[in-house]
C-alpha cells in the first residue's frame, strides 16, 4: 500500500488532468470548487470551459484551484481505514486544546480525551499522533480531508452531525449549561436569555441547540465565533465582557476552578451522549467496529471509570472560592519560591508541582506559619518529623521543603509496590495527612466491603467511616479524621491541575485569524474559500 501522502497525490492527479482538459461536463463543477468565479469586465465568449463555470484561459483562478487541490492531498480516504492505520502504524486523532481534552506540560501530553485515545492506540499496537484544532468545525473538516482518523473532543452527536459522520458508542454524558458571572442577575430559563448577549463556538452543538430553541423563542439571539475557544468564552464571562455562554457540564466541572466568578445558570437541554466521530463511509466498517469494541471493553473492565476518576475525581471537592485564592497566590506568592521549589524537588526526585501544591496546602506558602498544635514552617513539620528528616530549623524555607519532600517520599515507598500511580501518590498524600496506619485501616475496610483496596476512588469512600465508632472500633489504629484526609488529597489534586494548566496556558496558542477577514468582501463567500 502506498504511503498516505502519495496515495493522496495519486487520487488527485486524474482530477487535475480533468480540470486542465476542461471537459464539457457539469461534473467539473464538483471538482473545481469554483461554482461562482469572479467575472472579468469583458467576459469571454461561452465555450466548453465557460459552461463548466471556469475562465476560458488558464489564469489566477485556475492556478488557485490547482494549488487548493494539491494542498488537499490527504483528501482521498482509503477503502479500509483500520488497515491503513495498521499499515502506517499510526492512529491520528483530531482534538481541541484544553484541560478536558488534550494539552502538554513539562512531563508530556495529558488530558482525558488524550488518555482514552492513547489506550485505543495501544490496543491497536500503533503510535498515537495528535492534531489540534481550534473549533469543532475544524475537527470535522480534518475528518473530511482525511487529516485525522477520529475526532475526539467531547463531541455530542447532534442530528446534523449524524447525517454526515459516524459516532461511536457513547462513553460519557454531559449537560449543556448556560453560565453567567457572579454578581449579575442569574438567568433560570431560556426566556431569561432572550435578546441578551450570548456567544458560542461556531457550528458547535451549543449553536445547534440554540437554533432548535429559537423556533419557540423568536427573540433568542446569539453570536457564533471561530476565533475563540471555550476557555476564551469563559474568560470573557469572568471579566464581564460577555453576559452568557454555553459550556458542557464536564467542561464546567474542570474549568470552574480557573474561572471562579463563572457560575452555572441553568441546563440548556437534557444530558447528551458524548462520543468519538469518524468519517461516514458505509463500506468502511472496520475502524468503526474496533472503536465500539474498545468502548465496550474499557467500560466493562473498569479502565473508563479509572480515567474518569483520574481526570474528574477531584472536581467534587473543588470550591471556586478556594480556587480563586489559590490562583491569586500563584501570581503573588509562588514566584518568590518557585525556583527553590523546583531545585529541591529535582534534587529529591519529586515532581516540583506536587511539592509546590503540598506546601501551599500546608502553609499557603507562608514560611513562618505555625499551628496551635506546634507544627511549623512551609511544610508544617512536627518536631519529631523535622528531627527524623534532618531539619534543624523548621522556619528555614529550604530545610522545610527538603524535609517535607523526604518525608512524603518515605511514606510513598511504604505504599505497596503493586499500586500504580496516580493512586499510589493519592494514598501517600492521605497518609501524609492522617497517618499510614489509618490509611491501611481504610484499605482493609474497603476490602471487607467488597471494594478494591488498591484504588483511591474506592478507599476514599471508606476513610470517613473511620470517624464512626461502628467502624473504627474494629480497626487496628482506631479513630481518624478520615473526611479531613479525603478533602486534603482532593484539594491537592485540584491545586495540582490548576497549577499544571496555568503553566500550560502560558504557551497556549490562540486561534489564528481567519483568511476571509483579510479578503475583499466579494470574495469572502466564494466556494473556493470554503473549500480551503
Amino acid at each position: 500500500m502506498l504511503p498516505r501522502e502519495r496515495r493522496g497525490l495519486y487520487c488527485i492527479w486524474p482530477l487535475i488532468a480533468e480540470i486542465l482538459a476542461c471537459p464539457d461536463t457539469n461534473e467539473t463543477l464538483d471538482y473545481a470548487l469554483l461554482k461562482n468565479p469572479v467575472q472579468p469586465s469583458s467576459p469571454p465568449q461561452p465555450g466548453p470551459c465557460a459552461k463548466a463555470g471556469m475562465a476560458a484561459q488558464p489564469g489566477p483562478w485556475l492556478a488557485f484551484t490547482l494549488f487548493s487541490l494539491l494542498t488537499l492531498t490527504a483528501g482521498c480516504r482509503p477503502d479500509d481505514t483500520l488497515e491503513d492505520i495498521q499499515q502506517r502504524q499510526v492512529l491520528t486523532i483530531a482534538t481541541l486544546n484544553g484541560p478536558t481534552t488534550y494539552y502538554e506540560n513539562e512531563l508530556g501530553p495529558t488530558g482525558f480525551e488524550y488518555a482514552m485515545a492513547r489506550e485505543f492506540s495501544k490496543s491497536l499496537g500503533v503510535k498515537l499522533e495528535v492534531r489540534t484544532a481550534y473549533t469543532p468545525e475544524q475537527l470535522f473538516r480534518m475528518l473530511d480531508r482525511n487529516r485525522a482518523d477520529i475526532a475526539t473532543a467531547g463531541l455530542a452527536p447532534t442530528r446534523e452531525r449524524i447525517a454526515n459522520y459516524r459516532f461511536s458508542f457513547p462513553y460519557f454524558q454531559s449537560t449543556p449549561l448556560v453560565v453567567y458571572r457572579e454578581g449579575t442577575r442569574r438567568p433560570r430559563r431560556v426566556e431569561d436569555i432572550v435578546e441578551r448577549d450570548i456567544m458560542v463556538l461556531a457550528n458547535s452543538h451549543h449553536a445547534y441547540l440554540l437554533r432548535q430553541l429559537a423556533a419557540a423563542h423568536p427573540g433568542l439571539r446569539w453570536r457564533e465565533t471561530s476565533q475563540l475557544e471555550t476557555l476564551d468564552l469563559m474568560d470573557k464571562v469572568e471579566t464581564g465582557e460577555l453576559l452568557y455562554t454555553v459550556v458542557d457540564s464536564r467542561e464546567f466541572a474542570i474549568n470552574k476552578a480557573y474561572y471562579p466568578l463563572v457560575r452555572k445558570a441553568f441546563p440548556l437541554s437534557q444530558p447528551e451522549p458524548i462520543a468519538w466521530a469518524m468519517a461516514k463511509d458505509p463500506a468502511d466498517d472496520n475502524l468503526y467496529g474496533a472503536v465500539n469494541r474498545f468502548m465496550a471493553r474499557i467500560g466493562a473492565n473498569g479502565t473508563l471509570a479509572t480515567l474518569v476518576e483520574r481526570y474528574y475525581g477531584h472536581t467534587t471537592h473543588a470550591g471556586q472560592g478556594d480556587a480563586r485564592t489559590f490562583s491569586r497566590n500563584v501570581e503573588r506568592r509562588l514566584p518568590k519560591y518557585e525556583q527553590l521549589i523546583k531545585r529541591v524537588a529535582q534534587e529529591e526526585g519529586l515532581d516540583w508541582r506536587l511539592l509546590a501544591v503540598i506546601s501551599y496546602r500546608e502553609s499557603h506558602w507562608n514560611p513562618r506559619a505555625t499551628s496551635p498544635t506546634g507544627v511549623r514552617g512551609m511544610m508544617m513539620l512536627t518536631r519529631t518529623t523535622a528531627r527524623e528528616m534532618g531539619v534543624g530549623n523548621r522556619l528555614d524555607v529550604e530545610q522545610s521543603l527538603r524535609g517535607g519532600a523526604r518525608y512524603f517520599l518515605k511514606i510513598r515507598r511504604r505504599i505497596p509496590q503493586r499500586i500504580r500511580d496516580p493512586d499510589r501518590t493519592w494514598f501517600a498524600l492521605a497518609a501524609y495527612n492522617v497517618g499510614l496506619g489509618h490509611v491501611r485501616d481504610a484499605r482493609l475496610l474497603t476490602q471487607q466491603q467488597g471494594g478494591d483496596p488498591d484504588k483511591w476512588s474506592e478507599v476514599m469512600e471508606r476513610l470517613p467511616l473511620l470517624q464512626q465508632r461502628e467502624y473504627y472500633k474494629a480497626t487496628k489504629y482506631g479513630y481518624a479524621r478520615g473526611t479531613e484526609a479525603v478533602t486534603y488529597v482532593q484539594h491537592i489534586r485540584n491545586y495540582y491541575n490548576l497549577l499544571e494548566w496555568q503553566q500550560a496556558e502560558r504557551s497556549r496558542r490562540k486561534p489564528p485569524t481567519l483568511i476571509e477577514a483579510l479578503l475583499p468582501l466579494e470574495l469572502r463567500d466564494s466556494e473556493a474559500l470554503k473549500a480551503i
Side-chain angles (χ1 to χ4, degrees):
M1 182 175 285
L2 289 169
R4 192 182 208 189
E5 292 76 9
R6 291 184 61 194
R7 279 204 313 279
L9 284 169
Y10 274 71
C11 288
I12 212 167
W13 281 123
L15 171 58
I16 294 173
E18 184 173 350
I19 292 177
L20 287 172
C22 192
D24 189 7
T25 171
N26 288 331
E27 291 179 358
T28 308
L29 294 174
D30 296 328
Y31 296 131
L33 309 176
L34 293 170
K35 296 181 182 177
N36 297 296
V38 175
Q39 296 298 320
S41 55
S42 300
Q45 293 298 313
C49 295
K51 292 178 183 177
M54 294 163 38
Q57 299 297 325
W61 278 109
L62 181 56
F64 177 73
T65 302
L66 296 179
F67 175 78
S68 300
L69 291 170
L70 284 169
T71 61
L72 301 179
T73 56
C76 299
R77 187 169 294 278
D79 293 334
D80 188 331
T81 307
L82 182 58
E83 180 185 349
D84 179 56
I85 290 168
Q86 292 168 334
Q87 287 279 345
R88 54 187 156 91
Q89 284 291 289
V90 175
L91 169 71
T92 304
I93 65 165
T95 190
L96 302 173
N97 186 243
T100 62
T101 50
Y102 162 82
Y103 64 97
E104 293 195 25
N105 58 31
E106 295 174 4
L107 301 178
T110 186
F112 177 75
E113 297 285 352
Y114 169 80
M116 276 190 65
R118 185 179 59 185
E119 289 294 324
F120 181 52
S121 69
K122 286 180 182 178
S123 73
L124 297 179
V126 301
K127 295 180 180 179
L128 179 64
E129 178 185 24
V130 180
R131 291 181 174 175
T132 56
Y134 294 102
T135 65
E137 182 180 15
Q138 290 179 1
L139 288 176
F140 290 107
R141 194 179 298 170
M142 286 184 180
L143 291 180
D144 293 339
R145 295 180 175 180
N146 200 22
R147 286 178 51 78
D149 305 306
I150 299 171
T152 165
L155 301 171
T158 64
R159 189 172 301 176
E160 291 176 347
R161 290 173 175 175
I162 290 173
N164 296 292
Y165 303 94
R166 285 184 120 171
F167 283 85
S168 69
F169 294 159
Y171 56 89
F172 215 92
Q173 273 197 330
S174 192
T175 304
L177 301 173
V178 174
V179 298
Y180 73 108
R181 187 180 189 274
E182 182 185 82
T184 63
R185 179 175 173 271
R186 175 186 176 181
R188 298 182 181 275
R189 54 185 182 173
V190 176
E191 288 79 4
D192 295 338
I193 62 173
V194 168
E195 297 183 352
R196 295 287 184 170
D197 183 25
I198 309 168
M199 184 184 289
V200 296
L201 298 181
N203 297 307
S204 63
H205 70 287
H206 301 147
Y208 170 81
L209 287 172
L210 290 171
R211 286 194 293 272
Q212 300 297 306
L213 290 168
H217 302 84
L220 188 61
R221 300 285 185 269
W222 67 93
R223 292 177 288 156
E224 297 185 27
T225 177
S226 296
Q227 296 295 294
L228 302 173
E229 301 174 5
T230 298
L231 295 177
D232 300 312
L233 293 177
M234 291 187 70
D235 184 66
K236 284 184 174 295
V237 174
E238 170 92 4
T239 58
E241 295 179 56
L242 179 64
L243 202 54
Y244 309 125
T245 190
V246 183
V247 298
D248 288 331
S249 56
R250 70 187 201 122
E251 289 183 305
F252 180 74
I254 291 287
N255 296 327
K256 66 181 181 181
Y258 313 122
Y259 304 102
L261 293 179
V262 177
R263 295 286 191 234
K264 177 171 63 176
F266 66 91
L268 199 61
S269 76
Q270 296 296 315
E272 299 176 324
I274 300 298
W276 285 357
M278 290 154 277
K280 193 167 189 176
D281 183 355
D284 184 9
D285 283 332
N286 288 341
L287 178 61
Y288 180 69
V291 168
N292 282 337
R293 288 191 295 274
F294 168 75
M295 293 297 181
R297 185 168 62 252
I298 65 172
N301 65 17
T303 300
L304 179 58
T306 298
L307 290 175
V308 169
E309 201 286 325
R310 179 173 183 176
Y311 290 96
Y312 293 95
H314 66 282
T315 61
T316 56
H317 289 74
Q320 287 183 286
D322 188 47
R324 188 185 316 168
T325 302
F326 175 77
S327 297
R328 185 164 55 244
N329 281 320
V330 167
E331 298 296 328
R332 296 177 181 178
R333 293 187 181 180
L334 180 59
K336 182 177 180 180
Y337 304 109
E338 184 172 338
Q339 293 307 313
L340 177 60
I341 291 172
K342 286 181 176 180
R343 178 167 62 82
V344 170
Q346 182 179 21
E347 291 172 357
E348 299 298 333
L350 188 62
D351 180 350
W352 80 267
R353 284 174 294 251
L354 184 59
L355 181 58
V357 295
I358 293 174
S359 60
Y360 175 80
R361 183 65 177 81
E362 292 291 341
S363 67
H364 281 209
W365 295 318
N366 176 8
R368 303 194 68 80
T370 303
S371 82
T373 59
V375 294
R376 305 184 74 187
M378 184 80 92
M379 296 293 283
M380 297 296 274
L381 302 176
T382 64
R383 289 183 183 274
T384 303
T385 301
R387 190 180 306 112
E388 183 183 351
M389 296 297 111
V391 175
N393 181 3
R394 288 182 290 167
L395 299 183
D396 180 272
V397 179
E398 181 172 348
Q399 288 189 46
S400 183
L401 286 169
R402 200 174 296 280
R406 289 174 178 174
Y407 184 60
F408 172 79
L409 290 171
K410 177 184 177 182
I411 292 173
R412 193 176 180 279
R413 285 192 292 270
R414 297 176 66 185
I415 303 296
Q417 292 292 327
R418 68 176 179 275
I419 300 177
R420 298 181 179 182
D421 266 328
D423 294 83
R424 188 178 178 82
T425 296
W426 310 152
F427 282 124
L429 285 170
Y432 189 93
N433 175 261
V434 78
L436 189 58
H438 293 304
V439 171
R440 286 172 176 164
D441 283 344
R443 292 183 61 236
L444 181 59
L445 182 58
T446 301
Q447 187 175 40
Q448 291 170 347
Q449 293 185 351
D452 188 340
D454 294 346
K455 285 188 178 294
W456 168 250
S457 60
E458 299 196 29
V459 175
M460 67 177 278
E461 294 178 3
R462 276 77 177 192
L463 262 169
L465 298 180
L466 298 182
Q467 297 170 192
Q468 301 177 28
R469 187 174 186 278
E470 174 187 355
Y471 295 98
Y472 73 71
K473 68 180 182 181
T475 64
K476 181 176 181 179
Y477 295 95
Y479 173 87
R481 295 193 298 271
T483 300
E484 183 179 308
V486 171
T487 301
Y488 180 86
V489 175
Q490 299 300 83
H491 276 189
I492 286 179
R493 291 178 63 183
N494 191 45
Y495 296 148
Y496 185 94
N497 283 356
L498 279 167
L499 182 59
E500 186 178 52
W501 176 246
Q502 285 186 0
Q503 298 287 317
E505 178 73 355
R506 293 176 183 174
S507 59
R508 183 168 71 96
R509 295 180 299 169
K510 297 294 183 182
T513 302
L514 293 180
I515 253 179
E516 53 260 42
L518 306 176
L519 293 178
L521 289 174
E522 62 269 19
L523 299 185
R524 293 188 185 183
D525 293 326
S526 72
E527 293 297 320
L529 182 61
K530 292 176 183 177
I532 61 169

